[in-house]
Every structure is written in C-alpha cells, then in structure tokens.
C-alpha cells in the first residue's frame, strides 16, 4: 500500500466513525458552532470582545488574530483548494442528512479549520486565557467538518497545519520587518 492509500483508508475509518458515533444532540451543537464560525463570524465576534474588554493586550490579540485568520483564509481557500481540487468524502460514508448540506468546492484543506486554528493560535501567544477559551470552539469546528461529511480528517489536519503556519508567520512578521529595516 502507498502512503496515499493508507491516508485514504484512515480517513474513511475516522469519518465513518465520527459520522455514526457522535450522538445527534452533540452533532446539533457542533453544527451550531460551525454555523457561528461560517464566514469567520465567531472569530470576529471574539476579536470585538477582546478589543473591548482586554485593553491594549486585547486589541493587540484581536488585530494579530484577525490578520492570521485572513492569511489562513487566503492560503487555504484562495490557494490550496484551487491547487488540490480534491472531491468531498463520498456521501455513502455518512449515515445522516447533514451530508447533503456541504459546499461544492475542493475538500482539501478545511478553510474553516485553518481560520479557527490561525486565530486561536495567534491570540494564545498574546493572551493565553482568551486563546484557551477560543480553543474549545476551534476544536469543535474541526470535528464538525469531519462529522458532517464536509471534509476528510486529513483535510482538517491540513487546515490546522496551515492555520499554525499562518499564526507563526503573523507573529514573526513584525520582528522580521523591524530587523531588516535597521
């Protein structure tokens, strides 16, 4: 077996388990969190709250978090999805109706996950308590994308990796610019 075939087999096993073993009430909660994260509404809302109540640290975390989120969305949705052009998981793998409510775009990577991880990882470096609070819905978004049949687990892992890379780049860019400006 090739590595790709191994990943596809693991993807199939994990997506089928998530889709069939997560109770309906938990699936509804995951769907509600994903809907809040749609178009980054959840992360913008968190940024507004951080900026309003967190003083200078909150404003800094919000600004860096939204910058990382924008970069992650560009990288995942604007670039990687166009290059990968991976079909969504087969509908036959998903034993519930949510599978019919998913986008037609490329499956790889998960843009929802990339944005959630980029925002959360970035703010965690500035305001750890806010990052810990955001980590809960960020993890729920990734799980929902698998459970609903919108993404393979490897799509979510790829989105998380993009999110982490974008968080790192966003936090490192100001110091790199200062270093090269002098």
């Amino acid at each position: 077996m090739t590595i790709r075939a191994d990943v596809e087999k693991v993807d199939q096993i994990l997506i089928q388990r998530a889709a069939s073993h997560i109770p309906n009430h938990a699936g509804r909660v995951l769907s509600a969190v994903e809907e809040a994260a749609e178009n980054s509404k959840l992360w913008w809302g968190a940024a507004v709250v951080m900026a309003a109540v967190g003083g200078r640290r909150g404003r800094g975390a919000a600004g860096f978090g939204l910058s990382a989120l924008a970069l992650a969305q560009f990288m995942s949705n604007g670039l990687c999805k166009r290059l990968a052009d991976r079909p969504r998981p087969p509908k036959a793998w998903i034993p519930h109706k949510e599978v019919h409510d998913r986008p037609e775009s490329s499956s790889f990577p998960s843009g929802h996950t990339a944005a959630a991880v980029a925002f959360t990882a970035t703010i965690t470096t500035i305001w750890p308590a806010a990052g810990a609070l955001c980590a809960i819905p960020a993890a729920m978004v990734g799980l929902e994308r698998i459970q609903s049949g919108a993404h393979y687990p490897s799509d979510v892992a790829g989105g998380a990796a993009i999110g982490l890379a974008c968080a790192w780049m966003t936090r490192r860019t100001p110091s790199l610019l200062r270093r090269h400006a002098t």
Side-chain angles (χ1 to χ4, degrees):
M1 261 188 152
T2 66
I3 291 176
R4 182 177 178 176
D6 289 341
V7 169
E8 288 177 3
K9 186 63 179 169
V10 169
D11 270 343
Q12 180 181 1
I13 291 166
L14 292 175
I15 199 169
Q16 287 177 318
R17 286 189 179 161
S20 63
H21 289 89
I22 292 177
N24 287 339
H25 63 280
R28 286 191 295 275
V29 171
L30 292 173
S31 292
V33 171
E34 184 276 330
E35 179 60 33
E38 186 74 30
N39 298 314
S40 302
K41 295 180 299 249
L42 178 62
W43 314 119
W44 276 93
V48 167
V49 170
M50 287 187 303
V53 302
R56 184 175 181 186
R57 179 170 64 170
R59 290 187 300 276
F64 274 108
L66 291 174
S67 296
L69 179 145
L71 180 59
Q73 287 181 327
F74 170 75
M75 295 300 291
S76 61
N77 297 326
L79 184 62
C80 293
K81 279 188 184 287
R82 294 172 194 258
L83 295 174
D85 196 29
R86 183 182 194 188
R88 299 284 172 166
K91 290 181 179 182
W93 291 2
I94 315 302
H96 52 72
K97 293 178 183 170
E98 266 188 86
V99 73
H100 300 293
D101 183 29
R102 61 187 190 173
E104 296 297 322
S105 61
S106 175
S107 186
F108 184 86
S110 169
H112 282 78
T113 304
V117 169
F119 182 83
T120 301
T122 302
I123 67 166
T124 299
T125 64
I126 301 166
W127 194 356
L133 289 174
C134 287
I136 296 165
M140 292 172 77
V141 165
L143 180 58
E144 189 282 337
R145 303 314 286 159
I146 297 166
Q147 180 271 337
S148 68
H151 287 286
Y152 295 95
S154 57
D155 298 338
V156 170
I162 289 168
L164 288 172
C166 291
W168 181 85
M169 289 188 321
T170 300
R171 290 294 291 142
R172 295 285 299 153
T173 299
S175 63
L176 291 172
L177 292 174
R178 278 194 304 272
R179 192 173 336 159
H180 292 291
T182 57

